[in-house]
C-alpha cells in the first residue's frame, strides 16, 4: 500500500494540467503501472488519495473513467481551491469548471453509495464578471442540502456582493452555517427558516442591522453566534433566542457603536475591539446568568474602560473572566465578583490593580510592567501563572518582581514565565534593600523564553547565571520544576547545576557585601527526574549534567531546596 501511495504521489507531481487524452499531456504514468494501481481495492485507493490535496484528486478524476469513479466516490467533505496558481483566464475557467464538476459528481456519488458526510466546506474564488459561475456554486449548495449535509462552511472570495441562495435559506436540517468572504451579504425577500440551526458564524462579511436581524430571527434555537471582522453594522441587538449560550463579537475595524443582548440563557460573551472609541454603549442587563466573559482591548480610553468595568460587575454568576488591556489608556482596574473562579489578566499600562474575589482559585497574569499597586484577595487561590514580558531585566526589575510576588505568599503552585532579551543582576546595587527573600512560595514551575535581540543574538550564559541569582534572591521556593528539551532550556539547567555545585556556607562569594547571597541560606539540595510512570529518579548535580544531553524533550526535572 505504501508503494502504491508513493507511486500516485509521483504521478501527481509529473502530471500536467489538461483534459483526458489531450495532446501533449504527460501523465507520468505507464500503462502497466496505471493498470496495477487501478486494480487495487477502492478502499485502498481512497486511503492513498487521503494523502493528496483536493486539487490532485480533481486532476486524477479526469484521467479515465476508472479514476473518475474512484475519485468522485472518495468521501471528501472539504472542497478547497487553496494553493491553486494559474494566470491565464482560459486556464482558470477550465479549472473552475472541472472543480465544480468534481464537487457535483462527488456529492452525487457519495449520496448513491450512502457515504455522504454531514459536513460540507467549499472554498473558492468566484468571478464578478461570470454570474454563471456563482449560479453553479449555488447549485452545489442546493445539491449538498438535498444530500443531507447539515454543516456548511462557505468561503467565497473575489466578489463584492453575494446573495444567499433560497435553497439554503429553506434547508430546515442545517445545524451549522459559517460564511467567510470579503463581500456584502444580501438575502432574498423570502423568510429564513432554520429551525435546526445551532451555530451561525460570519467572518469578513459586510452586513447591516436589518440583514443581521433577519438571520438571527430565522434560527430560534441558535446556541452560538460569532461575528468576526464583520463591517457595515453599527448596532447589534439580540433578544428572544431562548437557547443562545455563546456570543462572540470581534469588530476589527468596524464602526460598532452599540451592543444590546437580552438573553437569560447566555453563558459566554467574547468581545474584541481594536479601535479608539469616544462613545460606546453596551447593555447586557438581561444576561444575569452569564458565567464566562472575555474582553480584549487594543486601544481604548479610560472612560470606555470604565464602561466595561461596570459591565463586569453586572454578572453575579460570573466564574470565568479574561481581560486584555494591552496598549490601552486604562491605568487602574478593580475586579470584585464573589463567584469568580478563574481570572486571566493581560496588562501593559495598569498601575493599580485591585482584585476582590474570595472564590478565585486560578489566576493568570500577563504583564509588561509591574503595577505599582497590586492587591489580590487570594484566600482560595490554589495556583497562579505569571508571564513577564519586560525585554531587558535589570536589578531593580527583580526588586519589583519580589514586591509583586509578595502578593502570592502561601500559594501552593506558582508558574513563572519570563520572556527576556537580556539580563543583568548585580546584587550589590540592592545592598540597602531590607526586604527579605520570599520564603512562602512552595512549588515554583519556571519557564524561560530568551528572545532575539536587535543584533540578532539570543541569550548568553551570563544571562542565565543572572536569572538564577536574581530569582533565588527574590524567593526561596521549596521546589523548582524545569523542563528539558530546547537548547536554552538545557543550558539553563546546566547553569543552575553549576551554581548549586558552587554553593555552601563556607563560600567567599560575598566578602564585599554585608548582605549574603542565596548560597549562604541553602542547606541542602535534591534533584529528581520525574518519570512518566510517576516514579522519580534521583540525581546529583554531577549526574544530571552527564545525563542532560540524553534527556528527551519535555522531561521534568525537579529541584528540592532545603533552606
Amino acid at each position: 500500500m505504501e508503494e502504491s501511495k508513493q507511486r500516485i504521489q509521483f504521478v501527481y507531481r509529473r502530471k500536467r494540467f489538461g483534459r483526458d487524452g489531450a495532446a501533449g499531456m504527460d501523465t507520468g504514468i505507464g500503462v502497466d503501472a496505471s493498470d496495477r494501481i487501478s486494480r487495487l481495492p477502492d478502499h485502498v485507493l481512497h486511503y492513498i488519495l487521503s494523502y493528496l490535496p483536493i486539487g490532485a484528486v480533481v486532476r486524477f478524476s479526469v484521467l479515465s473513467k476508472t479514476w473518475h469513479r474512484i475519485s468522485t466516490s472518495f468521501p471528501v467533505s472539504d472542497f478547497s481551491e487553496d494553493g491553486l496558481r494559474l494566470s491565464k483566464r482560459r486556464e482558470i475557467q477550465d479549472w473552475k469548471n472541472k472543480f465544480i464538476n468534481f464537487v457535483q459528481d462527488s456529492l452525487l456519488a457519495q449520496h448513491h453509495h450512502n457515504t455522504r458526510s454531514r459536513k460540507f466546506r467549499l472554498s473558492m474564488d468566484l468571478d464578478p464578471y461570470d454570474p454563471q459561475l456563482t449560479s453553479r456554486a449555488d447549485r452545489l449548495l442546493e445539491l449538498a442540502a438535498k444530500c443531507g449535509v447539515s454543516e456548511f462552511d462557505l468561503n467565497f472570495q473575489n466578489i463584492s456582493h453575494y446573495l444567499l441562495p433560497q435553497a439554503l435559506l429553506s434547508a430546515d436540517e442545517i445545524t451549522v452555517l459559517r460564511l467567510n468572504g470579503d463581500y456584502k451579504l444580501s438575502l432574498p425577500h423570502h423568510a429564513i427558516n432554520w429551525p435546526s440551526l445551532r451555530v451561525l458564524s460570519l467572518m469578513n462579511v459586510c452586513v447591516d442591522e436589518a440583514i443581521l436581524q433577519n438571520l438571527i430571527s430565522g434560527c430560534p434555537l441558535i446556541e452560538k453566534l460569532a461575528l468576526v471582522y464583520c463591517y457595515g453594522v453599527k448596532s447589534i441587538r439580540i433578544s428572544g433566542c431562548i437557547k443562545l449560550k455563546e456570543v462572540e463579537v470581534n469588530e476589527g475595524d468596524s464602526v460598532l457603536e452599540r451592543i444590546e443582548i437580552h438573553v437569560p440563557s447566555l453563558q459566554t460573551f467574547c468581545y474584541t475591539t481594536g479601535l479608539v472609541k469616544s462613545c460606546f454603549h453596551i447593555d447586557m442587563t438581561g444576561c444575569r446568568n452569564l458565567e464566562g466573559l472575555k474582553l480584549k482591548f487594543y486601544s481604548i480610553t479610560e472612560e470606555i474602560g470604565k464602561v466595561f468595568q461596570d459591565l463586569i460587575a453586572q454578572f453575579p454568576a460570573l466564574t470565568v473572566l479574561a481581560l486584555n488591556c494591552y496598549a490601552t489608556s486604562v491605568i487602574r482596574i478593580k475586579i470584585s465578583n464573589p463567584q469568580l473562579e478563574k481570572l486571566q489578566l493581560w496588562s501593559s499600562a495598569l498601575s493599580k490593580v485591585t482584585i476582590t474575589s474570595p472564590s478565585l482559585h486560578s489566576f493568570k497574569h500577563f504583564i509588561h510592567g509591574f503595577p505599582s499597586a497590586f492587591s489580590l484577595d487570594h484566600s482560595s487561590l490554589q495556583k497562579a501563572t505569571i508571564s513577564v514580558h519586560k525585554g531587558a531585566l535589570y536589578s531593580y526589575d527583580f526588586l519589583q518582581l519580589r514586591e509583586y510576588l509578595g502578593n502570592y505568599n502561601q500559594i501552593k503552585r506558582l508558574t513563572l514565565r519570563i520572556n527576556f532579551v537580556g539580563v543583568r543582576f548585580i546584587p550589590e546595587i540592592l545592598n540597602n534593600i531590607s526586604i527579605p527573600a520570599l520564603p512562602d512560595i512552595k512549588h515554583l514551575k519556571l519557564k524561560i523564553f530568551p528572545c532575539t535581540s536587535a543584533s540578532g543574538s539570543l541569550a548568553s550564559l551570563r544571562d542565565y547565571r543572572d536569572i538564577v541569582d536574581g530569582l533565588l534572591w527574590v524567593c526561596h521556593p521549596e521546589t523548582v520544576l524545569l523542563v528539558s528539551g530546547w537548547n536554552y532550556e538545557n543550558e539553563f539547567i546546566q547553569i543552575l547545576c553549576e551554581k548549586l555545585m558552587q554553593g555552601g556556607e563556607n563560600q567567599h562569594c560575598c566578602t564585599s557585601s554585608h548582605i549574603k547571597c542565596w548560597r549562604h541560606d541553602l542547606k541542602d539540595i535534591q534533584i529528581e527526574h520525574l518519570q512518566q510512570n510517576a516514579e522519580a529518579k534521583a540525581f546529583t548535580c554531577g549526574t544530571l549534567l552527564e545525563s542532560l544531553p540524553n534527556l528527551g524533550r519535555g522531561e521534568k526535572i525537579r529541584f528540592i531546596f532545603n533552606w
Side-chain angles (χ1 to χ4, degrees):
M1 183 183 296
E2 190 67 26
E3 180 182 356
S4 300
K5 182 182 72 176
Q6 293 173 357
R7 188 187 300 275
I8 286 185
Q9 290 174 333
F10 173 73
V11 171
Y12 167 59
R13 288 193 295 268
R14 292 284 307 278
K15 180 183 176 298
R16 293 178 183 173
F17 185 83
R19 295 182 177 179
D20 188 17
M25 180 175 116
D26 179 11
T27 63
I29 189 168
V31 176
D32 293 339
S34 176
D35 289 343
R36 287 198 300 270
I37 295 175
S38 300
R39 287 196 294 268
L40 290 172
D42 284 5
H43 73 277
V44 176
L45 294 172
H46 289 165
Y47 171 79
I48 297 171
L49 290 178
S50 68
Y51 284 84
L52 300 179
I54 190 63
V57 180
V58 174
R59 290 184 170 95
F60 273 111
S61 70
V62 300
L63 282 175
S64 66
K65 291 182 178 179
T66 300
W67 276 109
H68 181 271
R69 177 186 59 80
I70 293 170
S71 300
T72 54
S73 63
F74 176 52
V76 181
S77 62
D78 188 341
F79 300 92
S80 174
E81 284 187 318
D82 293 348
L84 183 66
R85 295 292 183 268
L86 295 174
S87 57
K88 295 182 179 179
R89 182 171 181 81
R90 185 173 179 179
E91 285 183 345
I92 295 174
Q93 289 177 334
D94 193 21
W95 161 258
K96 290 187 180 297
N97 286 330
K98 284 183 170 63
F99 178 76
I100 289 180
N101 288 339
F102 172 76
V103 177
Q104 175 181 290
D105 293 343
S106 294
L107 289 171
L108 290 173
Q110 292 176 38
H111 180 68
H112 176 73
H113 294 288
N114 199 28
T115 58
R116 59 185 182 272
S117 172
R118 62 184 177 88
K119 297 182 179 181
F120 178 74
R121 180 178 184 269
L122 181 60
S123 177
M124 62 182 298
D125 287 348
L126 298 178
D127 189 340
Y129 302 105
D130 186 1
Q132 292 300 321
L133 181 62
T134 301
S135 297
R136 295 196 66 191
D138 288 345
R139 287 196 290 272
L140 290 180
L141 305 184
E142 181 179 359
L143 178 58
K146 290 181 178 179
C147 290
V149 171
S150 59
E151 299 185 18
F152 286 83
D153 189 341
L154 310 177
N155 186 350
F156 294 150
Q157 301 293 335
N158 199 32
I159 53 174
S160 59
H161 175 270
Y162 182 65
L163 177 66
L164 209 59
Q166 177 60 36
L168 202 62
L169 295 177
S170 58
D172 55 7
E173 294 184 358
I174 295 181
T175 59
V176 176
L177 177 60
R178 296 185 176 92
L179 301 179
N180 186 359
D182 189 11
Y183 54 76
K184 179 176 177 57
L185 181 66
S186 297
L187 300 176
H189 296 296
H190 304 282
I192 300 175
N193 181 30
W194 289 328
S196 302
L197 194 74
R198 298 295 186 270
V199 177
L200 176 62
S201 174
L202 305 180
M203 178 178 289
N204 299 311
V205 175
C206 178
V207 293
D208 57 29
E209 285 86 349
I211 290 178
L212 183 59
Q213 199 62 43
N214 287 339
L215 288 171
I216 296 174
S217 61
C219 37
L221 300 182
I222 187 172
E223 296 178 359
K224 179 179 179 180
L225 174 65
L227 305 173
V228 180
Y229 301 132
C230 292
Y231 53 99
V233 59
K234 295 183 178 181
S235 177
I236 297 175
R237 292 179 173 86
I238 305 174
S239 62
C241 302
I242 60 175
K243 296 288 187 179
L244 188 60
K245 297 179 180 178
E246 181 178 350
V247 172
E248 177 186 0
V249 178
N250 188 332
E251 64 172 302
D253 296 330
S254 70
V255 290
L256 190 62
E257 299 174 354
R258 189 179 189 91
I259 296 178
E260 293 182 9
I261 305 178
H262 301 284
V263 180
S265 61
L266 193 66
Q267 297 178 0
T268 303
F269 177 66
C270 307
Y271 175 73
T272 302
T273 179
L275 299 177
V276 177
K277 292 179 178 293
S278 59
C279 179
F280 185 76
H281 177 79
I282 183 166
D283 182 2
M284 296 182 63
T285 53
C287 307
R288 299 285 292 174
N289 297 316
L290 194 76
E291 297 178 357
L293 181 62
K294 300 178 181 179
L295 304 174
K296 190 173 186 178
F297 315 116
Y298 287 102
S299 183
I300 62 172
T301 63
E302 189 167 4
E303 290 77 14
I304 301 300
K306 182 65 167 56
V307 171
F308 287 99
Q309 287 196 61
D310 294 340
L311 176 70
I312 295 171
Q314 291 180 12
F315 308 115
L318 194 67
T319 59
V320 178
L321 174 62
L323 186 60
N324 189 330
C325 301
Y326 181 73
T328 72
S329 300
V330 180
I331 61 174
R332 61 179 63 86
I333 187 170
K334 182 177 181 180
I335 299 172
S336 180
N337 295 79
Q339 302 300 320
L340 192 63
E341 298 177 356
K342 295 181 179 180
L343 173 62
Q344 295 184 13
L345 180 62
W346 289 260
S347 63
S348 59
L350 287 176
S351 60
K352 184 175 182 179
V353 178
T354 304
I355 302 172
T356 307
S357 299
S359 301
L360 192 68
H361 62 73
S362 177
F363 177 49
K364 295 182 179 181
H365 195 185
F366 303 81
I367 52 179
H368 290 259
F370 299 104
S372 57
F374 184 87
S375 174
L376 172 65
D377 177 5
H378 58 267
S379 56
S380 299
L381 195 58
Q382 301 172 5
K383 58 181 180 180
T385 299
I386 312 301
S387 294
V388 180
H389 303 260
K390 277 278 293 179
L393 290 171
Y394 298 101
S395 301
Y396 279 101
D397 291 312
F398 285 94
L399 173 61
Q400 289 183 314
L401 178 62
R402 178 191 279 190
E403 295 173 341
Y404 170 78
L405 290 181
N407 294 279
Y408 297 91
N409 274 349
Q410 306 298 330
I411 291 180
K412 293 182 179 180
R413 300 188 181 279
L414 177 66
T415 298
L416 181 61
R417 302 164 56 98
I418 301 179
N419 295 63
F420 64 94
V421 294
V423 183
R424 288 297 174 265
F425 178 72
I426 304 174
E428 288 77 12
I429 296 179
L430 305 174
N431 271 345
N432 296 323
I433 305 300
S434 59
I435 302 176
L438 303 174
D440 294 326
I441 292 180
K442 303 299 181 184
H443 305 291
L444 176 64
K445 184 176 182 180
L446 181 60
K447 297 182 179 181
I448 61 167
F449 298 94
C451 302
T452 304
S453 64
S455 61
S457 60
L458 279 174
S460 66
L461 295 182
R462 178 181 173 178
D463 291 326
Y464 297 138
R465 295 188 185 100
D466 284 358
I467 287 181
V468 171
D469 287 336
L471 288 180
L472 294 181
W473 177 86
V474 167
C475 63
H476 289 170
E478 291 184 6
T479 67
V480 173
L481 183 66
L482 298 174
V483 178
S484 67
W486 298 102
N487 288 337
Y488 63 85
E489 292 172 324
N490 290 351
E491 288 177 350
F492 184 80
I493 294 175
Q494 172 191 337
I495 293 300
L496 177 58
C497 287
E498 291 175 354
K499 279 191 163 290
L500 291 173
M501 293 171 69
Q502 299 169 1
E505 294 185 1
N506 296 323
Q507 281 290 317
H508 300 287
C509 54
C510 307
T511 55
S512 62
S513 172
H514 68 277
I515 297 180
K516 304 302 180 183
C517 71
W518 59 268
R519 296 179 180 86
H520 298 267
D521 296 325
L522 183 62
K523 298 179 180 178
D524 189 24
I525 179 71
Q526 299 178 39
I527 305 175
E528 295 178 339
H529 177 202
L530 303 182
Q531 310 286 328
Q532 292 183 350
N533 58 6
E535 295 183 357
K537 179 181 178 181
F539 273 123
T540 64
C541 289
T543 56
L544 177 56
L545 289 175
E546 293 175 358
S547 303
L548 192 57
N550 300 320
L551 291 180
R553 186 167 296 174
E555 301 286 342
K556 296 180 179 179
I557 308 298
R558 181 166 61 193
F559 293 80
I560 304 173
F561 295 87
N562 180 18
W563 300 97

